[in-house]
Every structure is written in structure tokens, then in C-alpha cells.
Amino acid sequence: MRRWILPALAGLLTVAGCQPATNTTTAAETAPQKTASCVMTVGWDPWEPYSYEAVDGAVTGLDVDLVRQLGESAGCRLDFRKGNWVALLEELQAGDVDVLMAATPTSDRRDFAHFSEPYRDESFVLFAHNGGVQAYQGLSLGQLLADGKRVGITDGYYYGEDAQALLSNPDYDEQIVPAPVPEANYRHLEEGLVDVVIGDPYVAGAVLRRTGMGTSIKQLRGNVHSGSVTFMFSKNSVSNDQVQAMNAALDRLQSAGHIAGILSRYRGS
């Protein structure tokens, strides 16, 4: 999935309002009896439509809905803590945050985190301002960097092994422009501070529609990275047994069709 420690679907996609397929089994029916001893803090950062604040201030989104059903099925109470991804990673290492959503297992992260089984796929693509779409169309990330183009990324995000190797290359240090949250990347693109941005198509669709920047920023063809994402658990605060219980709950929800229903509602498929 997304995000790395240091430094997904053609066209812009919008969040659809259709309802998931009806299932005869509910999440509550698949959940064991809750115990007060199972309380987990879930870290989240603004990443619409996966995790964001609704107009009433409630935390919502595709991944938030998924982890709430997972907690219910596993018999755990979930508390949500907002932050940026880099800070949340540090809190997870310390055990102050127990769970992070939409994470890609990496060797560095395995030092301090457990990972669930994969629960959905994601991908990252390139975006450019209208003035650069024709010039950059069909070029890979490597070609763009070799040509001196500036690339916008989000701090702490993991964009796949190949992209990570390029973004970590000291030869390109001055061309990599990090931002604390995805929306800032598209503002940098609008302001001419970067030439291209690496982003998730669903997140970009939500941000560009909400901000009105969708008329001037377009997705380029091709993928930077595609892969599966997992839930990440702190080794400092979550035991292997608890991870296995969450994996069992994840399997129950997948078998009952709840996860497919949530994906369908948000992705309109």
C-alpha cells in the first residue's frame, strides 16, 4: 500500500453514492461479545475518500468504515486520533497509536509493526497541470526525473519499490518536493512549484472536485505503483494474538461480503 518512512483506474474517479449489495449476515451477527479490555487507538490522516472529517466533524471514509466493522467483529472498541502520516508512524512505533490503516508492509516497518492480511488494493499515478499534460504524457517517473522535472510527493507515503529507489536517489534530491498532506501537492502543482504529482486517483478525484482544481489538473496515463494494503499494528501495544484475532475478524467480514459492500459504495462499482 501507500507510504514509506523517509522520503490506483483511468481518469479522475468520484465517490459514488450507491449502496453496497445487500447481505443477509450483518457485521453485528459475525462479532463475538465485546470485552472492555480490547480498546485500540486508530491513527488517521486526511485522505479523502479513505479517511476524512464529515461536515458534522465525524471521522468517516472507506478505510474508516472498514476498520470500524473490523473492530466490531473482533469485539474491540476503537478510538480515533488525527495526525499527519509521519507523526502517526512515530506514535505507532512508541505504542501511543495501536493501528494505522492502508499501510504497505516493508522491511523497515516490520521492525516495529505487525501487519494484517491485505484488505484492498491501491495504486498511484501521475498528475500534471493542463500546460504539461501533452508534454509529459506517456513518460515514466524515471524519465521525468532524468529530464529535470520536479515531483510532488506526500511526506512518509510509500509509492512502491521502484519509485522509492528513484525518490531516494540523491541525484534527484532537489527535484523532490514533499508536502505534509495530499491536497498541498495539488496546490503546489497549480502554483507551478512542481511539474508532476504522485497521487492516488480516488484521493485526487475527491480533492480536485472539492477545491475546483479539477479543471486545470489532469491524470496522466500509466501507473507508478499498484499493490495491496493492510492494517498495521504497533508491536509495542498489540500482541500477536490480537493481530490474529483481527485477521480472523477480517476473514469473517470478507466471507460475509461486508468489505466488498463498502468498496462498492465508495467506488461506485
Side-chain angles (χ1 to χ4, degrees), residues 101-185:
M101 304 172 286
T104 300
T106 66
S107 57
D108 288 338
R109 293 174 177 177
R110 291 189 187 280
D111 289 339
F112 60 85
H114 306 289
F115 295 89
S116 74
E117 296 299 323
Y119 69 90
R120 68 168 173 83
D121 296 327
E122 75 167 7
S123 65
F124 287 100
V125 298
L126 292 169
F127 294 87
H129 195 271
N130 282 345
V133 170
Q134 185 172 355
Y136 307 149
Q137 195 67 265
L139 298 180
S140 68
L141 177 62
Q143 290 172 315
L144 289 163
L145 285 167
D147 196 36
K149 299 299 181 283
R150 298 159 299 172
V151 178
I153 65 169
T154 305
D155 273 332
Y157 279 27
Y158 177 82
Y159 297 108
E161 185 176 351
D162 292 341
Q164 178 176 342
L166 288 167
L167 297 171
S168 300
N169 188 329
D171 292 341
Y172 301 135
D173 278 353
E174 295 185 2
Q175 296 168 238
I176 308 303
V177 182
V181 293
E183 182 172 330
N185 275 320

Side-chain angles (χ1 to χ4, degrees), residues 149-256:
K149 299 299 181 283
R150 298 159 299 172
V151 178
I153 65 169
T154 305
D155 273 332
Y157 279 27
Y158 177 82
Y159 297 108
E161 185 176 351
D162 292 341
Q164 178 176 342
L166 288 167
L167 297 171
S168 300
N169 188 329
D171 292 341
Y172 301 135
D173 278 353
E174 295 185 2
Q175 296 168 238
I176 308 303
V177 182
V181 293
E183 182 172 330
N185 275 320
Y186 301 102
R187 297 203 179 278
H188 289 168
L189 193 57
E190 183 92 334
E191 296 165 3
L193 300 178
V194 297
D195 300 299
V196 294
V197 161
I198 307 177
D200 178 296
Y202 290 108
V203 176
V207 169
L208 298 180
R209 183 179 65 255
R210 172 168 48 79
T211 61
M213 291 188 286
T215 58
S216 59
I217 296 174
K218 303 298 180 186
Q219 179 179 325
L220 302 179
R221 293 192 298 269
N223 268 11
V224 171
H225 169 70
S226 295
S228 298
V229 298
T230 71
F231 295 107
M232 181 161 58
F233 303 91
S234 171
K235 284 186 175 180
N236 260 337
S237 59
V238 182
S239 69
N240 275 308
D241 287 345
Q242 288 174 306
V243 175
Q244 292 309 310
M246 296 297 266
N247 273 327
L250 186 60
D251 184 62
R252 289 194 297 272
L253 292 173
Q254 287 174 328
S255 297

